[in-house]
Amino acid sequence: MTDADSPWLIVGLGNPGPEYAGHRHNVGFMVADLLAERMRGRFKAHKARAQVVEGRIGPPGPGSRRVVIAKPMSFMNLSGGPVTALRDFYKVPVDRVVAVHDELDIDYGVLRLKLGGGDNGHNGLKSITKSLGPDYHRVRFGIGRPPGRMQVADFVLKDFSSTERKELDYFVDRAADAVESLVTDGLERAQSTYNG
């Protein structure tokens, strides 16, 4: 299989289990769920300790791209293991791996797409970078900083506020659009459209 035939691996980061489902830290899972829904796919368990959906993104025909959408079923700080196993299984070049994750240093709902870079203290990215190196794409979903003296760990492991939830569906929808644009149009075009 050549690189041209390789699928893209889109990884929504989060923590497994219903008690984490609505947390800020799980916004990557929310985007992955919406992308799977758009492809009319259902997540299935994969031996790499992940839930995966295989399908295509983009217009029908030669413009569409093969994708594997994944939700690691390890906890956030162990995401690198499942991501590396999936990368090896599907023979995905590192520059076709996309991590969708929450980002504290960006205002709520703002998106930033980039290739490579540091982990900015994000344990999911830290784990993936340790396994793959830093040269994968990131779709960073802004969640803002914790209010007052709230600890970061407490903030990311809480549900979105009622005010935030009013706009959450819109922002998740926009993040899914950004992922699709990244895969079909390339990073620069996606950045010019979606970077806040």
Side-chain angles (χ1 to χ4, degrees):
M1 179 159 50
T2 66
D3 277 6
D5 303 325
S6 302
W8 285 73
L9 174 59
I10 298 161
V11 183
L13 295 183
N15 285 310
E19 66 274 32
Y20 296 102
H23 289 177
R24 292 180 179 92
H25 223 20
N26 271 39
V27 75
F29 274 17
M30 296 172 197
V31 175
D33 286 339
L34 180 57
L35 287 165
E37 195 180 300
R38 288 180 179 184
M39 294 189 324
R40 295 185 175 79
R42 294 177 68 112
F43 281 99
K44 295 184 177 70
H46 191 280
K47 64 183 180 183
R49 285 184 312 148
Q51 297 275 328
V52 300
V53 175
E54 297 178 50
R56 298 189 86 82
I57 279 179
S64 76
R65 302 278 181 269
R66 276 183 65 213
V67 295
V68 177
I69 297 169
K71 297 190 294 186
M73 290 289 110
S74 60
F75 281 91
M76 179 71 88
N77 59 348
L78 300 172
S79 300
V83 173
T84 303
L86 290 168
R87 190 271 321 258
D88 293 347
F89 182 85
Y90 289 103
K91 299 179 173 54
V92 178
V94 173
D95 66 355
R96 286 197 179 192
V97 175
V98 181
V100 184
H101 64 92
D102 57 306
E103 178 62 64
L104 286 160
D105 287 337
I106 303 175
D107 289 341
Y108 174 60
V110 173
L111 296 176
R112 296 266 165 76
L113 286 70
K114 68 176 193 167
L115 175 62
D119 57 54
N120 211 14
H122 192 290
N123 289 331
L125 296 183
K126 204 174 285 183
S127 178
I128 294 171
T129 298
K130 192 172 170 193
S131 299
L132 294 185
D135 299 326
Y136 55 93
H137 287 89
R138 297 98 191 277
V139 174
R140 303 157 72 204
F141 186 112
I143 59 168
R145 300 295 297 180
R149 295 175 181 228
M150 187 189 286
Q151 294 294 313
V152 164
D154 295 334
F155 179 68
V156 299
L157 293 177
K158 281 204 171 10
D159 284 3
F160 287 97
S161 71
S162 55
T163 308
E164 288 170 333
R165 277 201 302 273
K166 288 182 183 133
E167 296 180 296
L168 182 60
D169 286 350
Y170 168 75
F171 288 141
V172 168
D173 197 62
R174 194 162 181 272
D177 290 347
V179 171
E180 291 182 349
S181 175
L182 170 61
V183 170
T184 56
D185 305 326
L187 179 61
E188 285 183 16
R189 280 188 61 187
Q191 284 175 324
S192 68
T193 306
Y194 293 100
N195 271 14

